[in-house]
Every structure is written in C-alpha cells, then in structure tokens.
Amino acid sequence: MTTNTLGRRTLLGTSAASLLSLRAQAQAATRLRLYWWGGVERAERTNKTSELYMKAHPSITVAGETVGWGDYWTRMATQAAGRNLPDVLQMDYGYIFEYARRGALLPLDAHVGKELDLSGFDAASVDGGRVDGKIYGVSLGLNSTSIVYDRETFNALGLARLSWPVTWEDFAKRMTEATKALKRDGIWGSTDAGGSGPALEVWLRGRGREMYTTEGKFGATAADMADWFAYWAEMRATNACVPPDVQALDKLDVDTSVLTLGKALVGFANSNQLVGYQAVNKKKLDLAMYPAAKTDQKSGQYLKPSQMLSIAATTKNKDEAVKLLSFFVADTEAGKLLGVERGIPASKKVREVIAPSLDAMATRMSSYIAEISDKVSPLPPPPPRGAGEVLTLLLRTNETVGFKRATPAAAGAQFVREATDIISRG
Amino acid sequence: MAKRRRIPAGYLFLLPWFVGFFGLTLGPALTSLYLSFTNYDLIQSPGWVGLANYVRILTADSKVAESIHVTLLYVVLSVPLKLGSALAIAMILNRGLRGLPLYRALFYLPSLLGASVAIATLWRQVFSGDGLLNRILLLFGIHGPSWVSDPDTAIYTLVALSVWQFGSPMIIFLAGLRQLPRDIYEAAALDGAPPAYQFWRITIPLLTPVIFFNLVVQTIEAFKAFTPAFIISGGTGGPINATLFYTLYLYQEAFGYLRMGYAAALAWLLVIAIAAVTALAFLSARRWVHYEA
C-alpha cells in the first residue's frame, strides 16, 4: 500500500516535471512537425538531415513522424480533419491536387527567392508541383515509371535485355518465351499489370490519349479499355504473365509484388524503387522502360517528382516551415545525407555535389533517368478528384476479366461507365 | 436525510462513466449523425446535402448491394458454424476431463488472438497458393487453389477464421452446461432415453437462454467484422470485391476517398440494420427461448 502510494506520487511528480520541461522547450524553440512515408533507410536519412538543420538553427526543433505508405493517407486525412496537419509533409503527385484544391496546402509562390531557394531547379521540375498555376509542392527527387526486372536470370536463360524500344506486342512474345525458358512451375515471365494505373497510362499515351483530359474527364474510350483488358487476357492465356490468383496477392508494393515473391521476372514499378526492390531480392535487378506502342515514337512515360514536400495551410510558422522545406530540397549538405533514395534531386547544384558519392544502384537510377530523358513525353494533365478511386476500379476490373467473370469488351464498357461516374462525383 | 445525501456522492462516482459516455460515445455518435447529412470530406467544412447520401446508398450505389451480400453471407455462415463448434467443444469439455482449465485456456486462445493483425496475416499465408493448407493437400495429391485470392473461395477463409475463434461463446456454453440440473438427465436415463434424445429434448431446450445470448452477441460481432478482411485483402476487399465487407466499404469511402459524410450515412444504416436484426431475434425469442425449466 505504502509503496503503491509512493509509486504513484513519484510517477505524478515525474510526469509533471517532464510536462514542465516540455513547456519550457516549446517556449524556447519553434517546433516544426515533419511527416513522411517510407522505410527504415529513408527514416535514418531524413532524421540525420533534420538534426543537421537543428544544429545550424538552434531555435528550431524538428519533430519527425513517419508511417508506411499504406497508412500514410489515412492518418493524413484524420489529421486534416482535426486541423492538426504537420507543418511540413511529404506529398505525392497523385494526391497533391486533392489536397491543394481542398485548401489544405499552402501556396508557396510568395516565398520563392526568399525563404524558398529554387535557383537550381529547371522549369519542368517546378511545374510538377503546380496545381492550377500555383506551387504547392517542391520535388524531393525526380523519377519515372520503370520496369524492374531480374536481369541475372534473364542472362542465365539467354534472354535478350529489355532495352528500348520494345513494343507491347514484342513484350508479350518475349514474356511467353521467358516463361517457357524458366521450365519451372509457379513462375512466369511478367507481372499482370492490367490493373496498374501507370502501365495503363503509358499504354494510352502511346495511342495518343491521356488518362485524364485537360478538362478533368476520363480520357479513354470503351474500345481503348476493351483493348487493354484484352491485351492482358491474351498475356494470361499465353502464359506470358502470372495467373489472376497469384496476382491478387500483390498489394502493389515492393514487399508483396510478384517479382519479390519469386513468381515473375518482370515488375512494373518506379525508377526510385530500384533500391527498395534490390534490398529484398537476391538476384541482380535492372531497370528498363515500359513497352511502347511503336518503335519510332516517344514513350508515354514522363519524368515526375517521385515525391514532394508541401506545407500545411494551417501551419503557425509559415516562414520557418518553408525554410526547412528549402533546406531539404536545395541544400547541398542535406542532399549528401538524403542521396537519391527519394529519386534524383531536382536541383542541379545538389546533383553535381552528390554524384561522386553514389553507389552502383544509385548510379544506375541516375543513368536510367539520363537515358530516358530524351525519349519521354511531357507531364500529362493533372488527375481530377476521384483519380485514386479509379485506380482501385482498374485493379478490380482487371481481376474480373482475369477470373473470367467478364469479357474484355464488357469490362471495357463497364469500366468507362464507372470511372466517369466516380469522377463526376468527385 | 442520510440517504439523500448519498445521492450526489453516487453521481460523483458515476462521473467517469458519464464523461466517457457523453464525451466518447454519445457525442461522436450524434456528430456522425449530423455528418451523414453533409458532404464532409475531412478537410473542408461540411456542407448540408440533406438526404442525398442516403438516397444514393439506397438507389444508386452498386457497391452497397455487393457489400451487403458479402456481409450477409459471412453472418449467415459464420455465426451458426461458430456457435455449433463452440457448443460441441463445450460439451466435450463438460464431460469432466482432467486438466479442464488447461483445455479451456487452449481453446480460448484463438479468440484472444483472432482479431489481431498478426493472425490475419498468418491466415493469408496458410490459405495462399503455396501456403500450408495446399502443401498438406498436396500430400494427398490435391492441387488446391489460392484460397485467399480466388473470388470463389476468399470469403470462406474469412468464415473459417471466424469459426476458429469459438472460444468466448464456448466458455459461456460451458458455464451454461454446468448449471443444468443432473436429476433430469438421471430420470431420462432411467426411462431409457438415448443420448441423442437427451441432447435434443433436454440439453438444447434448457440451454436456449445461453444460445440466445451467444446468437445475439455473435451476430452483432459478425456484422461489425473488419480487421480480417482488411488485412487479408490488403484493404481492397478483393479479389473482385469478394471480401468487401460493409464495414470495409465504409472505411474505404471515409478514409480512402475522403467521403466522410457518405461513410457516416453508411454507418447509420448499419446501426439501423443491426438494431433491426437484434429486435427480430428478441421477438423470435418468445417462441423458442425457455427461461425456466
């Protein structure tokens, strides 16, 4: 009994003391919250960069918060609802329009040249963070879509590398050959990318269409979509890609992808993910461009910010938050710590400083971006509200065809109907 | 005088409960009722849309029908199977086994673990294409499908997961069985009633209050099931919405697509549905639940 009371009192005393010291700290320093998604590697690099900033700015405390991609947007939405968004937050190209147009993000134009240093950025990189003409996000790194494939096994089986340009038709044939050459049950040439939004987008752009028009409408016709679903139905029928029950386990992330699970040699991904994929794959991986519609035209791929930093509109320390953001995207010392883990830095100055210190994987990512930059198309029009839901719809519709619940033609018509409905609802 | 003075003290002791009830249950519930009539998107202020959410749910949303179908299938399959296995195990344990507390704990264990993320992840492994189940089946020369990712079988893996967690109804059945009067069984045995007859004519009728309790609790639980489907399908309700529980759809709308107002309306319809089913159960109870032997 006595010990209990003592224990409780001590506990109360300690927490009161720590509360007091917290208050003291808060009064002395401006506290900025920084929020990002990613793995352990990214957390280490980001925290080191924050510490460097705090050393140089003793009046600032940077409190880092991080979760995985899967929980990131849920938590962000919840914090937005509580008017409690972190001051500086990592933003994705697919979400920036939703958040900016709902007024959750701070337009940064007034800070450019003052707190925000964009001097080393080319125009295209800056434009990647614009919504309706205003800058809401600043690129943390440049990337593009990319095939990630098991080059070691490709070499061992005597299969030709996937070097640009490979047409979609040719890709299908070569994947069937790959499956044959593997001579093993339970492993196929390609991932089933019929449910992948980025793959569909590149394919559509090869046909001269956009996923979303400049007016924010869904850009493909029922016939386009029917052809797309038919292409993947044919891929499955010819054993070029994994069957639907294998693909259904793929949660579209590095750890559960059929490439990582050893079910396929080829995955559809993003170039900055090479580091992440290689970390969980034993075989030597390489990057290649997505297949093309024709060999004599540009790819539908485009360079985009792999992720951005944005400022919450509700921040109480606008100038300080923008300064921290600027440090992450434009400071050469920060660049050395961050490396190319988030993609190739958009600032030319930073790129030049870090180039000598890159390892093999990082160098390959850089050279990939350099190789493709004259083959890619400009940024597509921004995705409208509801674009995220259309991705879920695509995944499900491809499954419907995969499990033979609908013909490609019926699925194509159904898809366009539902996608149009989703976007009109916003 | 003395009595009356105690009343405020009583309320004082109840205060923590009141704070919890009004602050954490009633307040949010009323807020969500209000939100169900708005287009709240978590970021902007909610705007009044009247009955629009409810109208869309009831007339224009095909996913609602799909998710109700999935949920009802789950409830109708998992509740009877779970109660059946709980009763069967409880009867075996009631035979006066040595080490009963140990067995009781062992059988209860899955219920403690069942709702957790780890178990749902394990389930995904066991029932995947090259998972444990198919490896066992292979010993008998059977090539099983990938149970969790085939739209025909995915829902049954979730039912199996639910049935496996029969622990808590089992404990309640066991307590009920122990209270049954022995003399009735002795009399029945003397009259030559076979065990099956004793089960259907004595055990079941005497146990109906306990069965009823378990039925209501488990049905409500089944309607509210979320975690297993969320983990096993990676939050998508796939393949092809085969595991899109109503609760999962509600979650997707709220946090995935930022339609909190719409999700609040979905939630209130779920509350009404559960209340209606529970009311039906109570009405029917008059016909089949016997409270006094």
Side-chain angles (χ1 to χ4, degrees):
Chain A
M1 197 58 205
T2 328
T3 45
N4 237 340
T5 323
L6 265 179
R8 212 178 302 153
R9 265 189 208 148
T10 327
L11 191 69
L12 275 173
T14 330
S15 33
S18 55
L19 271 177
L20 281 176
S21 71
L22 261 181
R23 274 196 65 166
Q25 248 179 8
Q27 277 160 359
T30 304
R31 186 167 170 274
L32 293 173
R33 288 162 62 211
L34 172 66
Y35 181 46
W36 71 92
W37 72 83
V40 183
E41 175 79 16
R42 180 171 302 168
E44 272 173 23
R45 288 170 185 264
T46 309
N47 286 331
K48 274 186 196 154
T49 311
S50 299
E51 279 159 27
L52 184 67
Y53 189 78
M54 287 189 277
K55 241 178 236 164
H57 303 80
S59 66
I60 305 285
T61 316
V62 180
E65 297 170 24
T66 180
V67 292
W69 169 265
D71 299 317
Y72 188 82
W73 300 102
T74 317
R75 188 168 149 168
M76 180 119 142
T78 317
Q79 290 185 333
R83 297 277 176 272
N84 188 30
L85 275 180
D87 303 273
V88 183
L89 38 95
Q90 194 169 304
M91 189 37 77
D92 178 74
Y93 188 68
Y95 283 83
I96 191 168
F97 297 93
E98 299 228 7
Y99 277 90
R101 285 182 179 156
R102 288 183 159 107
L105 305 179
L106 186 75
L108 302 171
D109 303 73
H111 300 271
V112 178
K114 288 183 229 157
E115 293 86 6
L116 181 55
D117 171 19
L118 295 182
S119 56
F121 283 61
D122 57 56
S125 300
V126 177
D127 289 346
R130 276 188 210 276
V131 176
D132 304 327
K134 284 188 199 156
I135 303 173
Y136 285 95
V138 183
S139 172
L140 267 169
L142 206 61
N143 79 350
S144 183
T145 41
S146 171
I147 276 179
V148 177
Y149 73 108
D150 178 350
R151 206 184 81 195
E152 193 178 325
T153 305
F154 259 62
N155 287 347
L157 297 174
L159 299 166
R161 279 193 202 176
L162 295 171
S163 32
W164 172 265
V166 178
T167 62
W168 288 97
E169 272 169 66
D170 193 19
F171 179 73
K173 275 182 209 140
R174 288 168 68 171
M175 289 301 105
T176 307
E177 281 164 25
T179 309
K180 260 185 217 150
L182 279 161
K183 287 186 190 136
R184 271 190 289 143
D185 274 347
I187 177 162
W188 291 263
S190 174
T191 303
D192 179 350
S196 153
L200 170 64
E201 185 174 41
V202 169
W203 184 82
L204 283 175
R205 296 186 97 197
R207 296 189 147 205
R209 298 217 190 262
E210 291 290 356
M211 187 106 154
Y212 300 106
T213 64
T214 39
E215 294 82 35
K217 298 258 162 60
F218 186 67
T221 64
D224 291 326
M225 293 309 300
D227 284 354
W228 171 252
F229 292 126
Y231 176 81
W232 288 100
E234 184 64 16
M235 289 285 281
R236 288 183 287 268
T238 54
N239 275 326
C241 74
V242 299
D245 60 336
V246 171
Q247 186 60 41
L249 288 170
D250 186 334
K251 292 196 215 169
L252 303 180
D253 58 24
V254 174
D255 297 339
T256 63
S257 76
V258 291
L259 171 67
T260 302
L261 295 180
K263 304 281 185 194
L265 299 178
V266 172
F268 285 72
N270 289 305
S271 59
N272 68 305
Q273 289 176 312
L274 178 64
V275 176
Y277 271 103
Q278 191 62 73
V280 290
N281 277 272
K282 286 186 193 114
K283 298 286 173 59
K284 183 103 174 94
L285 304 178
D286 197 8
L287 300 173
M289 291 183 81
Y290 279 15
K294 292 185 199 123
T295 53
D296 57 351
Q297 72 180 33
K298 286 206 168 193
S299 163
Q301 282 183 225
Y302 50 93
L303 295 172
K304 66 178 195 309
S306 64
Q307 48 228 227
M308 295 175 261
L309 282 180
S310 293
I311 308 282
T314 46
T315 181
K316 291 189 186 74
N317 301 294
K318 278 183 199 168
D319 293 351
E320 292 302 336
V322 177
K323 272 186 209 161
L324 177 65
L325 181 156
S326 183
F327 181 74
F328 267 84
V329 298
D331 187 275
T332 50
E333 291 305 308
K336 280 182 194 163
L337 291 172
L338 294 168
V340 294
E341 192 271 332
R342 283 180 166 97
I344 311 301
S347 157
K348 198 174 170 217
K349 206 169 55 186
V350 176
R351 269 203 308 268
E352 280 165 3
V353 171
I354 66 169
S357 61
L358 298 181
D359 64 14
M361 280 297 122
T363 310
R364 177 61 191 121
M365 275 164 54
S366 307
S367 69
Y368 174 75
I369 294 295
E371 277 165 27
I372 71 169
S373 49
D374 60 342
K375 303 181 182 73
V376 295
S377 304
L379 270 175
R385 273 194 199 180
E389 194 175 351
V390 172
L391 292 182
T392 318
L393 174 68
L394 178 64
L395 192 67
R396 175 162 55 89
T397 312
N398 186 53
E399 281 177 348
T400 329
V401 180
F403 286 110
K404 302 210 164 33
R405 302 294 165 88
T407 62
Q414 175 80 8
F415 181 86
V416 172
R417 216 166 30 239
E418 288 191 40
T420 309
D421 178 51
I422 288 169
I423 291 162
S424 68
R425 234 182 124 194
Chain B
M1 271 303 271
K3 247 186 192 170
R4 208 172 288 163
R5 222 181 303 142
R6 278 191 202 147
I7 292 172
Y11 280 110
L12 197 65
F13 278 111
L14 277 173
L15 197 63
W17 185 84
F18 276 124
V19 169
F21 178 71
F22 287 108
L24 299 173
T25 306
L26 193 63
L30 290 177
T31 310
S32 94
L33 182 61
Y34 161 68
L35 289 177
S36 74
F37 297 103
T38 69
N39 60 1
Y40 187 44
D41 66 359
L42 288 170
I43 298 168
Q44 289 162 319
S45 308
W48 188 262
V49 296
L51 286 170
N53 290 332
Y54 290 94
V55 170
R56 184 182 158 89
I57 292 170
L58 297 173
T59 59
D61 190 338
S62 64
K63 271 187 169 177
V64 168
E66 277 181 79
S67 66
I68 289 176
H69 174 78
V70 170
T71 308
L72 285 181
L73 187 65
Y74 177 76
V75 171
V76 166
L77 287 175
S78 73
V79 174
L81 284 172
K82 188 177 189 173
L83 292 187
S85 47
L87 182 57
I89 301 288
M91 294 204 44
I92 293 168
L93 291 184
N94 193 37
R95 286 180 162 187
L97 282 177
R98 219 184 287 169
L100 176 64
L102 177 70
Y103 287 110
R104 213 163 40 193
L106 274 181
F107 283 117
Y108 192 68
L109 206 57
S111 300
L112 293 177
L113 301 172
S116 73
V117 171
I119 290 298
T121 307
L122 175 74
W123 220 249
R124 200 177 145 91
Q125 294 298 335
V126 170
F127 288 99
S128 68
D130 43 13
L132 184 66
L133 178 67
N134 279 351
R135 283 183 198 192
I136 294 171
L137 286 177
L138 205 57
L139 296 179
F140 301 97
I142 302 167
H143 286 270
S146 176
W147 305 89
V148 284
S149 56
D150 186 315
D152 288 328
T153 55
I155 184 73
Y156 301 107
T157 66
L158 293 177
V159 171
L161 176 58
S162 160
V163 173
W164 182 61
Q165 300 157 37
F166 56 75
S168 82
M170 178 204 73
I171 298 279
I172 297 168
F173 275 135
L174 196 55
L177 286 170
R178 305 205 118 190
Q179 284 174 3
L180 297 186
R182 294 252 162 130
D183 48 349
I184 301 183
Y185 286 96
E186 279 161 14
L190 279 177
D191 288 344
Y197 192 84
Q198 290 181 21
F199 174 75
W200 289 112
R201 292 294 166 138
I202 302 175
T203 310
I204 291 290
L206 287 178
L207 215 52
T208 46
V210 181
I211 295 175
F212 177 64
F213 174 80
N214 274 336
L215 180 72
V216 170
V217 171
Q218 293 305 325
T219 305
I220 294 176
E221 285 294 311
F223 270 111
K224 283 162 52 190
F226 172 78
T227 318
F230 179 76
I231 302 296
I232 287 178
S233 74
T236 63
I240 329 183
N241 293 348
T243 61
L244 187 71
F245 283 172
Y246 189 83
T247 51
L248 187 55
Y249 178 49
L250 190 165
Y251 171 87
Q252 283 181 356
E253 284 290 311
F255 295 104
Y257 312 138
L258 302 180
R259 287 196 278 259
M260 186 54 89
Y262 192 72
L266 284 169
W268 273 93
L269 289 177
L270 179 64
V271 170
I272 292 168
I274 292 180
V277 169
T278 311
L280 274 180
F282 271 93
L283 278 178
S284 78
R286 289 185 197 162
R287 291 173 178 272
W288 61 272
V289 178
H290 312 287
Y291 279 100
E292 204 42 67

